[in-house]
DNA sequence: AATTACATGTTAGGAAAACTAACATACGTC
DNA sequence: GACGTATGTTAGTTTTCCTAACATGTAATT
């Protein structure tokens, strides 16, 4: 896939299309749960002019990951850590891409992994929204 | 693509995910227009328990086709005809697949085309929802 | 055993979004 | 100028979603 395509599909996946009722069905989470996870800053759904939450496909993906980890006994704090690390490591990766070799990068990511695994054993299975679109 | 994948992506594309407000943004149609097209049976959005319309990606695709044809001067009746023919010819095609050769099939579809073209000159450009997912 | 923290349920009251139905209007056609 | 078609607008209702508060089950802590 070209980087152009990657960028525009990222755009589509982050478009706020879905009301909470749809997200409830897709994830089998309650509204209370979804709002609670937002309260803890695990997701940041868009708001309409009238203050209704509107969710993207990425949000649904994230919620499925959260659900997964909770079911595996990871608590909010743990999930936050995992997400922080993910963000950090993808920033690192983006930055590193232009500076270092692949093998050096893999080495760094292995070290990051160890850091997290010391604290908990999260499921790293990726969210499964791919079921719901093309 | 395997026929299994084709079937399941069709499933996803027909899932009622979107409220009318989202569809309005995606298509740049007014609520009045969308409801009017439903009234004329060009789309059949799902209804929630509380009677709210919920639209699928296929519905959005269809609406974009309708918009396209209207802009090209085709009226409701013409659009209906085009859709009827589409449905008919895809049924025909499905049935034919197991009975006749490709070249025979192409011949039949050419004849169907002529039938419609005698009445109007619709745009056959396909709806462009592919912008919005994966 | 009592306390605490965490994740979620439930309820109440209010605001936004969507519904139907009816009437209004612009524009093309007879 | 009357008519038909596609769309706008408005009014009155119903449904969905919002926040905030309090309730509850379970696990960890004392």
């Amino acid at each position: 896939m070209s980087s152009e395509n990657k960028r525009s599909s990222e755009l589509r996946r982050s478009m706020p299309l879905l009301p909470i009722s749809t997200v409830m069905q897709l994830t089998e989470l309650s509204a209370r749960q979804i709002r609670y996870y937002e309260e803890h800053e695990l997701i940041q759904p868009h708001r309409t002019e009238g203050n209704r939450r509107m969710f993207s496909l990425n949000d649904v993906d994230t919620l499925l990951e959260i659900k997964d980890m909770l079911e595996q006994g990871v608590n909010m704090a743990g999930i936050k850590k995992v997400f922080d690390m993910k963000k950090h490591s993808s920033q690192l990766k983006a930055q590193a891409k232009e500076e270092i070799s692949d093998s050096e990068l893999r080495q760094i990511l292995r070290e990051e992994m160890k850091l997290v695994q010391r604290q908990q054993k999260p499921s790293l299975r990726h969210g499964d929204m791919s079921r719901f679109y093309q």
Side-chain angles (χ1 to χ4, degrees), chain A residues 31 48 61 63 69 72 85 95 111-112 116-117 119-120 122 126-127:
Chain A
T48 66
D61 239 345
L63 287 170
M69 287 195 261
Q72 318 231 346
M85 201 214 71
Q95 191 200 330
E111 295 304 326
E112 290 254 6
V116 174
Q117 283 169 348
Q119 296 168 327
Q120 69 260 333
H126 199 277

Side-chain angles (χ1 to χ4, degrees), chain A residues 110-124:
Chain A
R110 262 197 301 278
E111 295 304 326
E112 290 254 6
M113 280 297 170
K114 281 182 206 161
L115 259 174
V116 174
Q117 283 169 348
R118 215 167 292 149
Q119 296 168 327
Q120 69 260 333
K121 254 206 157 198
S123 158
L124 291 176

